[in-house]
Amino acid sequence: MGYVDLGRVQLALAQHNLDGLLVLSPENFEYFSGVSGFPVTMWRRAGPASALFAATGEVAFVAPETIEESVRNANPGAPVFSHPLWIETIDIRQSGAGAIEERVVQATTGRTHGRPETYDPALVGRALQAAVEALGLAGKRIGLDLEFAPAADVEQLRALLPGAEFVNSSPLIRELRLLKTPVEIELLRRGVRLTEHGITAAVAGIDEGTLAHDLRSRFSEACFAQARKEREPGLRQARTGVHLGPALWAATDPARPAQQGDLVQFDSFVEIHGYKTDMGRTFTFGPATDAQRRIQDALLAGFRAGLAILQPGRRFCDVFFAVHHAVRAAGFPSYARGHVGHSIGSDVDGEEWPWISATETRVLEPGMVLAFEAPYYINGIGGFQNEDDILITESGHESFNTLPLELVEVGG
């Protein structure tokens, strides 16, 4: 059922004294159902694709009819309350063998031949009410991911479900998503492999006519080409940020081609079945300068120091302080970041709570997958990004990455 461990959901509901959990955001719907709610999720409204869990272990889903069958297949035995979209969808698989016109008539007998402009909020409301009734949650204490839900939609939910007590359960959902199942881990592992392929392909053949835009395009094209080769059907997007040259962000001239001595910094991700990687590497176009090597050496000292702490039982903040102490001791005493990484998964851009920061005292646990990084951005030299995606294991950690962290010379 989805990517979530239902036993952990029941335990979390009991711990928070909740009778049920109503999941509303597009990312959380896919996490709990195993199916993307697209296209109805593109408006990011609460209700048209939602999942409902009862403390008893029962589940139900509200979904547009376009994905009803997929939700049923991914969640055998769970009731699915569907509603129509603007899209005309006809199923002729059980119709006869006559002319297509006759088969369409047969398949649509009894159908109301009218559709909403997008989706019908009233029909979604009835589906939600039916799901709540089916799980015996009317008038009960229900958790909502209120950090997502638009205020207007929450008011509609209150009107739809009078007597229900709504509790903000976004922190509870974050806790559930923090520990990854084997399926999630495998998706992220595959994603890192594609991400590294894209970076390697993007820098191949860099010359003095190459723009940052060229590198971004090559990255995306290479990821999709490799996904076709590997028959990876879940790849949805492949994007990278690129710093090319000594200037940063808005100060960078997009029409400036690569020059000898430039830093080439990637901060990249791919998305497979909703799960997004987050990794980075830094190259030099031609030989690195002494300043570039000294900065990178200090950053890698910090990276190695933090890596040594990434193991079960250590605190997130311990990793943060190890990185900062090592970089500062290596010659850059002003080095200061707000965090040196974060959990990754299926959030909007992949970056998820918690952060590897000075104030995060929670303990590392097996099953967490973290983007761990030691970057630096120096206008006049360029951007440095050293970032791996790391699984916390029972005995320590495992990096999904294989590309070297040292500065690698590309071009000539």
Side-chain angles (χ1 to χ4, degrees):
M1 185 198 72
Y3 302 107
V4 68
D5 181 336
L6 185 55
R8 290 187 63 224
V9 176
Q10 287 183 268
L11 180 61
L13 291 177
Q15 290 173 337
H16 289 80
N17 191 30
L18 291 171
D19 299 302
L21 177 67
L22 179 56
V23 175
L24 301 169
S25 81
E27 297 77 29
N28 286 336
F29 174 79
E30 183 166 7
Y31 174 69
F32 284 96
S33 72
V35 178
S36 169
F38 185 84
V40 76
T41 49
M42 63 183 168
W43 295 293
R44 303 191 65 78
R45 298 299 300 268
S50 49
L52 186 64
F53 294 79
T56 59
E58 296 175 286
V59 299
F61 298 92
V62 172
E65 62 186 9
T66 50
I67 63 168
E68 178 182 357
E69 183 176 358
S70 296
V71 175
R72 291 188 187 280
N73 290 340
N75 303 273
V80 180
F81 300 88
S82 66
H83 57 93
L85 298 183
W86 73 100
I87 302 167
E88 175 71 343
T89 302
I90 300 170
D91 187 351
I92 63 170
R93 289 173 294 181
Q94 304 302 318
S95 64
I100 184 60
E101 292 86 354
E102 296 172 357
R103 297 176 70 188
V104 168
V105 169
Q106 183 181 347
T108 57
T109 298
R111 175 182 288 188
T112 299
H113 298 290
R115 288 192 171 274
E117 183 179 48
T118 53
Y119 67 91
D120 188 331
L123 294 180
V124 170
R126 291 175 203 164
L128 282 167
Q129 289 172 323
V132 168
E133 291 288 343
L135 268 56
L137 293 176
K140 298 295 182 66
R141 181 176 163 88
I142 301 174
L144 300 180
D145 43 340
L146 288 176
E147 291 178 7
F148 157 78
D153 292 348
V154 174
E155 289 306 309
Q156 290 178 347
L157 285 172
R158 294 189 192 282
L160 282 169
L161 305 172
E165 178 187 356
F166 294 135
V167 179
N168 180 26
S169 292
S170 293
L172 179 156
I173 295 173
R174 285 200 301 268
E175 290 282 351
L176 290 171
R177 286 172 50 157
L178 178 56
L179 296 183
K180 303 297 190 287
T181 62
V183 173
E184 295 175 282
I185 291 168
E186 178 57 23
L187 288 175
L188 291 166
R189 196 191 306 274
R190 281 155 44 192
V192 168
R193 185 170 66 243
L194 273 181
T195 309
E196 291 200 329
H197 176 84
I199 291 174
T200 301
V203 295
I206 186 173
D207 57 30
E208 292 184 347
T210 301
L211 306 177
H213 175 73
D214 298 323
L215 297 173
R216 290 190 294 268
S217 297
R218 291 176 194 170
F219 172 84
S220 179
E221 292 163 3
C223 288
F224 278 96
Q226 186 67 13
R228 289 194 298 273
K229 181 179 178 180
E230 295 181 5
R231 295 295 188 263
E232 173 57 78
L235 181 62
R236 295 178 185 169
Q237 57 176 323
R239 298 198 333 236
T240 187
V242 174
H243 275 123
L244 175 62
L248 302 176
W249 294 296
T252 301
D253 178 359
R256 176 192 178 279
Q259 298 178 13
Q260 288 287 317
D262 278 353
L263 282 180
V264 188
Q265 179 239 327
F266 287 81
D267 193 352
S268 314
F269 84 85
V270 303
E271 178 185 350
I272 297 180
H273 288 301
Y275 282 76
K276 304 170 186 71
T277 61
D278 185 7
M279 63 155 292
R281 288 296 186 270
T282 311
F283 303 84
T284 61
F285 178 43
T289 67
D290 179 64
Q292 290 167 347
R293 291 197 178 281
R294 286 162 62 187
I295 294 168
Q296 180 70 346
D297 286 347
L299 294 173
L300 292 187
F303 193 92
R304 288 190 292 268
L307 205 60
I309 308 297
L310 280 168
Q311 54 186 295
R314 300 303 299 265
R315 300 178 303 172
F316 277 60
C317 59
D318 295 334
V319 180
F320 175 88
F321 289 120
V323 172
H324 278 71
H325 175 77
V327 175
R328 291 170 179 177
F332 296 89
S334 65
Y335 184 76
R337 281 183 57 83
H339 70 262
V340 294
H342 46 80
S343 179
I344 58 173
S346 55
D347 215 340
V348 177
D349 277 322
E351 296 192 7
E352 299 187 350
W353 169 93
W355 309 93
I356 306 175
S357 69
T359 57
E360 182 54 73
T361 59
R362 74 173 300 121
V363 171
L364 294 161
E365 298 178 55
M368 294 178 177
V369 180
L370 308 173
F372 170 57
E373 59 184 335
Y376 212 10
Y377 300 93
I378 302 178
N379 220 343
I381 293 181
F384 296 79
Q385 179 64 299
N386 308 287
E387 186 172 24
D388 276 7
D389 291 350
I390 292 175
L391 169 67
I392 305 300
T393 66
E394 295 288 345
S395 58
H397 65 260
E398 173 199 348
S399 174
F400 294 161
N401 296 81
T402 61
L403 290 182
L405 283 159
E406 292 74 20
L407 286 179
V408 174
E409 180 182 337
V410 293

